[in-house]
Tab-separated table of all heavy atoms in Angstrom:
chain	number	residue	atom	x	y	z
A	468	LEU	N	-239.084	-46.315	-40.574
A	468	LEU	CA	-238.554	-46.542	-39.233
A	468	LEU	C	-239.117	-47.782	-38.635
A	468	LEU	O	-238.348	-48.610	-38.084
A	468	LEU	CB	-238.844	-45.301	-38.378
A	468	LEU	CG	-238.434	-45.370	-36.885
A	468	LEU	CD1	-236.900	-45.453	-36.813
A	468	LEU	CD2	-238.974	-44.141	-36.113
A	469	ILE	N	-240.429	-47.902	-38.691
A	469	ILE	CA	-241.048	-49.059	-38.052
A	469	ILE	C	-240.859	-50.346	-38.787
A	469	ILE	O	-240.592	-51.416	-38.218
A	469	ILE	CB	-242.589	-48.805	-37.921
A	469	ILE	CG1	-242.854	-47.523	-37.076
A	469	ILE	CG2	-243.321	-50.002	-37.288
A	469	ILE	CD1	-242.286	-47.556	-35.694
A	470	GLU	N	-240.884	-50.261	-40.150
A	470	GLU	CA	-240.864	-51.537	-40.917
A	470	GLU	C	-239.458	-51.965	-41.357
A	470	GLU	O	-239.192	-53.144	-41.619
A	470	GLU	CB	-241.733	-51.328	-42.147
A	470	GLU	CG	-243.203	-51.068	-41.838
A	470	GLU	CD	-244.030	-50.587	-43.032
A	470	GLU	OE1	-243.679	-51.060	-44.161
A	470	GLU	OE2	-244.962	-49.809	-42.806
A	471	ASP	N	-238.546	-50.950	-41.488
A	471	ASP	CA	-237.203	-51.268	-42.012
A	471	ASP	C	-236.053	-50.988	-41.012
A	471	ASP	O	-235.281	-51.908	-40.754
A	471	ASP	CB	-236.945	-50.384	-43.252
A	471	ASP	CG	-237.894	-50.601	-44.440
A	471	ASP	OD1	-238.295	-51.788	-44.618
A	471	ASP	OD2	-238.273	-49.668	-45.137
A	472	ILE	N	-236.031	-49.784	-40.494
A	472	ILE	CA	-234.832	-49.371	-39.729
A	472	ILE	C	-234.717	-50.098	-38.445
A	472	ILE	O	-233.696	-50.684	-38.064
A	472	ILE	CB	-234.819	-47.880	-39.570
A	472	ILE	CG1	-234.853	-47.177	-40.908
A	472	ILE	CG2	-233.552	-47.465	-38.741
A	472	ILE	CD1	-234.967	-45.686	-40.806
A	473	ILE	N	-235.782	-50.081	-37.656
A	473	ILE	CA	-235.757	-50.788	-36.320
A	473	ILE	C	-235.463	-52.292	-36.482
A	473	ILE	O	-234.562	-52.801	-35.789
A	473	ILE	CB	-237.052	-50.522	-35.518
A	473	ILE	CG1	-237.107	-49.014	-35.071
A	473	ILE	CG2	-237.116	-51.438	-34.287
A	473	ILE	CD1	-238.393	-48.677	-34.392
A	474	PRO	N	-236.153	-52.971	-37.349
A	474	PRO	CA	-235.819	-54.386	-37.525
A	474	PRO	C	-234.356	-54.614	-38.015
A	474	PRO	O	-233.718	-55.616	-37.524
A	474	PRO	CB	-236.784	-54.871	-38.650
A	474	PRO	CG	-237.992	-53.983	-38.506
A	474	PRO	CD	-237.367	-52.656	-38.127
A	475	PHE	N	-233.841	-53.793	-38.847
A	475	PHE	CA	-232.443	-53.914	-39.236
A	475	PHE	C	-231.483	-53.721	-38.120
A	475	PHE	O	-230.536	-54.508	-37.942
A	475	PHE	CB	-232.133	-52.910	-40.397
A	475	PHE	CG	-230.669	-52.884	-40.764
A	475	PHE	CD1	-230.161	-53.779	-41.674
A	475	PHE	CD2	-229.815	-51.889	-40.212
A	475	PHE	CE1	-228.822	-53.750	-42.036
A	475	PHE	CE2	-228.448	-51.872	-40.539
A	475	PHE	CZ	-227.987	-52.838	-41.460
A	476	ILE	N	-231.696	-52.664	-37.327
A	476	ILE	CA	-230.823	-52.438	-36.178
A	476	ILE	C	-230.886	-53.524	-35.173
A	476	ILE	O	-229.836	-54.002	-34.663
A	476	ILE	CB	-231.161	-51.106	-35.519
A	476	ILE	CG1	-230.934	-49.935	-36.524
A	476	ILE	CG2	-230.415	-50.861	-34.257
A	476	ILE	CD1	-229.453	-49.790	-36.955
A	477	ASP	N	-232.077	-54.006	-34.867
A	477	ASP	CA	-232.197	-55.113	-33.913
A	477	ASP	C	-231.582	-56.379	-34.411
A	477	ASP	O	-231.090	-57.193	-33.574
A	477	ASP	CB	-233.685	-55.308	-33.543
A	477	ASP	CG	-234.245	-54.248	-32.700
A	477	ASP	OD1	-233.494	-53.547	-32.005
A	477	ASP	OD2	-235.526	-54.138	-32.591
A	478	ALA	N	-231.558	-56.590	-35.721
A	478	ALA	CA	-230.969	-57.807	-36.312
A	478	ALA	C	-229.457	-57.781	-36.409
A	478	ALA	O	-228.858	-58.834	-36.386
A	478	ALA	CB	-231.635	-58.111	-37.646
A	479	ASN	N	-228.930	-56.536	-36.464
A	479	ASN	CA	-227.492	-56.410	-36.720
A	479	ASN	C	-226.667	-55.842	-35.614
A	479	ASN	O	-225.425	-55.776	-35.739
A	479	ASN	CB	-227.323	-55.606	-38.036
A	479	ASN	CG	-227.743	-56.299	-39.240
A	479	ASN	OD1	-227.006	-57.111	-39.827
A	479	ASN	ND2	-228.978	-56.036	-39.674
A	480	PHE	N	-227.294	-55.364	-34.544
A	480	PHE	CA	-226.574	-54.833	-33.415
A	480	PHE	C	-227.160	-55.446	-32.119
A	480	PHE	O	-228.280	-55.949	-32.131
A	480	PHE	CB	-226.761	-53.320	-33.375
A	480	PHE	CG	-226.046	-52.586	-34.444
A	480	PHE	CD1	-226.638	-52.382	-35.689
A	480	PHE	CD2	-224.734	-52.112	-34.259
A	480	PHE	CE1	-225.959	-51.762	-36.744
A	480	PHE	CE2	-224.099	-51.424	-35.246
A	480	PHE	CZ	-224.678	-51.252	-36.507
A	481	ARG	N	-226.337	-55.443	-31.103
A	481	ARG	CA	-226.757	-55.991	-29.811
A	481	ARG	C	-227.662	-55.049	-29.073
A	481	ARG	O	-227.183	-54.231	-28.244
A	481	ARG	CB	-225.514	-56.430	-28.967
A	481	ARG	CG	-224.661	-57.513	-29.612
A	481	ARG	CD	-223.733	-58.173	-28.615
A	481	ARG	NE	-223.081	-57.205	-27.760
A	481	ARG	CZ	-221.968	-56.557	-28.128
A	481	ARG	NH1	-221.436	-56.789	-29.303
A	481	ARG	NH2	-221.395	-55.663	-27.283
A	482	THR	N	-228.891	-55.091	-29.395
A	482	THR	CA	-229.914	-54.167	-28.783
A	482	THR	C	-230.755	-54.895	-27.760
A	482	THR	O	-230.917	-56.100	-27.770
A	482	THR	CB	-230.795	-53.513	-29.860
A	482	THR	OG1	-231.669	-54.586	-30.387
A	482	THR	CG2	-229.980	-52.947	-30.944
A	483	LEU	N	-231.290	-54.111	-26.879
A	483	LEU	CA	-232.379	-54.532	-26.035
A	483	LEU	C	-233.674	-54.233	-26.782
A	483	LEU	O	-234.129	-53.115	-26.791
A	483	LEU	CB	-232.368	-53.851	-24.650
A	483	LEU	CG	-231.209	-54.224	-23.795
A	483	LEU	CD1	-231.022	-53.249	-22.610
A	483	LEU	CD2	-231.341	-55.631	-23.234
A	484	ALA	N	-234.163	-55.232	-27.493
A	484	ALA	CA	-235.157	-54.953	-28.531
A	484	ALA	C	-236.579	-54.996	-28.034
A	484	ALA	O	-237.379	-55.795	-28.378
A	484	ALA	CB	-234.980	-56.046	-29.650
A	485	ASP	N	-236.829	-54.055	-27.130
A	485	ASP	CA	-238.182	-53.925	-26.560
A	485	ASP	C	-238.545	-52.477	-26.366
A	485	ASP	O	-237.660	-51.594	-26.430
A	485	ASP	CB	-238.380	-54.723	-25.304
A	485	ASP	CG	-237.450	-54.337	-24.120
A	485	ASP	OD1	-236.806	-53.240	-24.258
A	485	ASP	OD2	-237.280	-55.119	-23.208
Side-chain angles (χ1 to χ4, degrees):
L468 177 64
I469 301 300
E470 300 168 30
D471 298 324
I472 302 172
I473 292 175
F475 173 83
I476 295 298
D477 285 341
N479 290 277
F480 291 85
R481 297 197 313 275
T482 69
L483 292 166
D485 57 17

